[in-house]
């Protein structure tokens, strides 16, 4: 069982997936910071100093130790903006990747020009052509 598990883990696709998950998590942090610290403050300023993460509807007010029940629609809007930025970034990465792989495939598909025949081959071809005449 351990041998089978080790073979499974050592396959390239599993390692690639692990790397993608780690990089994806880090990328998510970068995008969250981009949205929260760069994109949303100017949008909030344009809308009159609104911080989207604090926009909520109180469904039930707080009583004593019981916290209020909130419908945090501002956080939802923030999450949608994060998603759209991540989706756009992935779209652009895939577009560049597709263009690069297509170009590489075209370059590989174009056959190389045939090499110039050696002198002795040229001479034999001339003799053949003369014999045909």
């Amino acid at each position: 069982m351990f041998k089978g598990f080790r073979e499974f883990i050592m396959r390239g696709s599993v390692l690639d997936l692990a790397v993608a998950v780690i990089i994806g998590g880090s990328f998510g942090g970068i995008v969250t910071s981009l949205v929260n610290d760069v994109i949303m403050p100017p949008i909030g300023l344009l809308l009159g100093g609104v911080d989207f993460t604090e926009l909520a509807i109180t469904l039930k007010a707080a009583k004593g130790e019981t916290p209020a029940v909130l419908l945090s629609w501002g956080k939802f809007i923030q999450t949608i903006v994060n998603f759209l930025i991540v989706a756009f970034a992935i779209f652009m990465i895939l577009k560049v990747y597709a263009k690069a792989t297509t170009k590489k495939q075209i370059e590989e598909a174009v056959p190389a020009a045939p090499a110039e025949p050696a002198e002795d081959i040229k001479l034999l071809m001339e003799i053949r052509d003369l014999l045909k005449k």
Side-chain angles (χ1 to χ4, degrees):
M1 184 185 225
F2 179 72
K3 182 181 176 186
F5 180 70
R6 185 183 63 163
E7 289 173 3
F8 171 74
I9 292 296
M10 296 308 289
R11 282 195 289 187
S13 59
V14 173
L15 293 175
D16 291 343
L17 180 61
V19 169
V21 167
I22 292 168
I23 290 175
S26 297
F27 184 70
I30 291 169
V31 169
T32 300
S33 176
L34 173 69
V35 171
N36 293 340
D37 303 330
V38 177
I39 294 174
M40 293 310 277
I43 292 174
L45 185 63
L46 289 174
L47 296 175
V50 176
D51 181 8
F52 280 90
T53 58
E54 294 180 12
L55 295 176
I57 297 172
T58 304
L59 299 176
K60 184 176 179 183
K63 286 188 179 179
E65 295 291 320
T66 308
V69 179
L70 300 175
L71 181 67
S72 301
W73 64 275
K75 289 180 183 178
F76 180 69
I77 297 294
Q78 187 86 20
T79 303
I80 289 173
V81 171
N82 285 0
F83 170 76
L84 291 174
I85 291 172
V86 170
F88 181 73
I90 291 172
F91 169 75
M92 293 306 292
I93 289 169
L94 291 177
K95 192 170 183 173
V96 168
Y97 175 76
K99 189 179 232 184
T101 56
T102 303
K103 185 177 180 181
K104 183 179 177 184
Q105 289 171 348
I106 290 172
E107 289 173 356
E108 290 174 354
V110 174
E116 187 71 25
E119 287 297 319
D120 56 344
I121 301 296
K122 285 183 186 178
L123 185 59
L124 288 172
M125 289 169 58
E126 286 178 24
I127 294 170
R128 178 198 63 199
D129 293 342
L130 288 172
L131 287 174
K132 281 184 181 178
K133 289 182 182 177

